[in-house]
Amino acid sequence: MTDPFSIIKTELPRDRWGRPLITPPDGGETVAYQRVTTFVGALEDTYHLSLWSQRMVALGMANRPDLQLAASAITDPTDQYAKRTLNDIAKSAREAAGAGAAATTGTALHTLSEKIDRGEDVGTVPAAYLPDLEAYRRVTKYFATLAIEGFCVRDDLRVGGSYDRIVQFTAEGLDQYEREHGERLCYPGPDADGNIRAGLGDEVQPGDTMIGDLKTGNVDFGIGKIAMQLGTYANSVDYDHTLGARTPLVGNPSKKWGVIVHLPAGTGAARLIFVDVAAGFDTAYVLAVGVHAWRKRKDLSFPFASVQVHADLGPSLVEQINAAPSYKALESIYQANAEKWTPGLTTLAKARTAELAAS
């Protein structure tokens, strides 16, 4: 078996939208596959993420007078160029509130965790994050890493993506778990009422293999998407873009369970979480496919008549008052617009009356 850590990787070709270009199973020109994260993202509940993003924009704008000034200079927010400018302002505001720093930290921890799994030196790391890396080492000692950042495809869905890890529980690791926790490690299983609970299922065996995923942020609100994502990976095959070749995933990972290594950045704490990837894949295979097909429907509306009218709004009330040729004309303007008349217009009309009397 080829050592997956020793493969010299070349860049996977992508189209202008970032979609991976994949050689079909029977050969021929490459075609664009949808990214797995995009595919399952069709079912993601983004409510809390949207609120978080709005909060970050608000905080960032409060701290950046230059962004406040730039936003105030926009006179027509419907203009396409103004929209782009406002998008850039919102992005800068989120970064000013620290949203970008969290993403940067997460990416760095991913890279450093890969070095740990490869047995490499992590180099010089800021002291604040050394506890995170030590927590990662300790919580992942129960299994061995078989593959890192492998790219896989699911051809019938025409999707592809990179899994973080494929991990395999070892006899030594499971024995260590028992010594530390006083019981054998078991999968989730049903309780007396049929509810799935942690530790009530079958015992984890040496050699059990599954898709692993490192998360450095909150996982509570996004667990549905994570389950679909890992489930799709577990039901895919490895893809070598240099040859257009497909091979089974190393270790034949479980299609029932996956594992998250949850490492909240800056906390020095880590935990392992079993994920029901079977339920995730079943949902993605049925519902995500249906949602994407629904979005592509072009036969849901049928225009049969249309009218277009361009209204000439004419001069404003202010312009009418300033141009009124007589007091009688001012009265007519008032009578026609009495419901929307304001004290300011009365003042303006009095000034125009004085002008007419003086002329």
Side-chain angles (χ1 to χ4, degrees):
M1 178 186 299
T2 303
D3 179 0
F5 299 167
S6 67
I7 296 175
I8 299 176
K9 294 183 178 181
T10 59
E11 181 113 17
L12 178 75
R14 297 179 182 272
D15 68 7
R16 58 176 175 162
W17 293 286
R19 298 178 302 181
L21 295 173
I22 306 299
T23 301
D26 53 357
E29 294 293 323
T30 59
V31 297
Y33 274 27
Q34 196 170 32
R35 287 177 288 189
V36 171
T37 51
T38 303
F39 172 67
V40 301
L43 300 179
E44 182 181 12
D45 182 356
T46 60
Y47 175 74
H48 292 285
L49 179 62
S50 177
L51 291 180
W52 173 83
S53 181
Q54 293 174 47
R55 293 194 297 269
M56 293 299 101
V57 171
L59 289 173
M61 292 295 289
N63 295 324
R64 290 282 300 272
D66 60 315
L67 297 180
Q68 298 171 29
L69 179 64
S72 68
I74 301 296
T75 57
D76 181 9
T78 64
D79 177 77
Q80 61 174 332
Y81 298 107
K83 289 179 180 179
R84 293 177 187 173
T85 300
L86 286 170
N87 288 339
D88 290 339
I89 291 172
K91 180 179 178 181
S92 296
R94 285 193 296 270
E95 292 176 349
T104 301
T105 300
T107 300
L109 288 176
H110 269 79
T111 300
L112 293 171
S113 70
E114 287 181 25
K115 290 187 175 183
I116 291 174
D117 290 340
R118 296 178 191 274
E120 299 173 358
D121 181 11
V122 297
T124 302
V125 176
Y129 296 100
L130 290 176
D132 289 347
L133 299 182
E134 182 58 26
Y136 179 83
R137 289 189 181 94
R138 295 186 184 187
V139 85
T140 59
K141 62 189 173 186
Y142 309 118
F143 46 69
T145 301
L146 301 185
I148 299 174
E149 288 292 330
F151 187 85
C152 59
V153 296
R154 176 82 191 196
D155 289 305
D156 59 340
L157 298 178
R158 293 184 70 169
V159 299
S162 298
Y163 51 81
D164 279 352
R165 306 285 193 277
I166 295 179
V167 301
Q168 185 175 74
F169 284 93
T170 64
E172 296 82 0
L174 292 172
D175 288 343
Q176 172 120 9
Y177 182 91
E178 183 176 16
R179 289 193 298 271
E180 293 175 355
H181 297 83
E183 59 184 4
R184 297 297 291 181
L185 177 61
C186 294
Y187 292 107
D191 61 15
D193 297 322
N195 300 310
I196 304 301
R197 305 290 185 187
L200 298 182
D202 295 332
E203 185 178 310
V204 178
Q205 299 296 319
D208 284 2
T209 306
M210 60 192 66
I211 295 291
D213 198 44
L214 174 64
K215 296 297 182 186
T216 58
N218 189 296
V219 299
D220 296 329
F221 297 123
I223 196 63
K225 180 180 179 182
I226 295 170
M228 290 187 289
Q229 186 176 352
L230 300 190
T232 303
Y233 293 149
N235 287 272
S236 298
V237 292
D238 268 319
Y239 174 76
D240 180 354
H241 68 273
T242 63
L243 301 173
R246 291 150 173 83
T247 54
L249 296 179
V250 60
N252 187 28
S254 170
K255 293 178 174 56
K256 173 59 179 172
W257 296 108
V259 63
I260 294 174
V261 180
H262 187 209
L263 184 69
T267 65
R271 59 176 176 157
L272 299 178
I273 304 171
F274 280 126
V275 181
D276 188 343
V277 298
F281 182 67
D282 287 345
T283 299
Y285 197 83
V286 176
L287 297 184
V289 170
V291 169
H292 285 288
W294 174 256
R295 290 178 175 177
K296 293 178 181 179
R297 289 280 296 271
K298 305 297 183 183
D299 58 347
L300 300 174
S301 62
F302 305 91
F304 62 92
S306 63
V307 173
Q308 184 173 349
V309 176
H310 295 286
D312 183 4
L313 299 179
S316 67
L317 283 176
V318 172
E319 292 171 332
Q320 292 179 53
I321 292 171
N322 288 332
S326 64
Y327 181 75
K328 186 174 182 180
L330 286 171
E331 285 186 320
S332 297
I333 295 172
Y334 169 75
Q335 291 169 359
N337 300 279
E339 292 184 356
K340 54 184 177 181
W341 201 262
T342 67
L345 294 175
T346 298
T347 301
L348 191 63
K350 287 182 178 179
R352 180 56 180 162
T353 299
E355 289 179 0
L356 291 171
S359 61

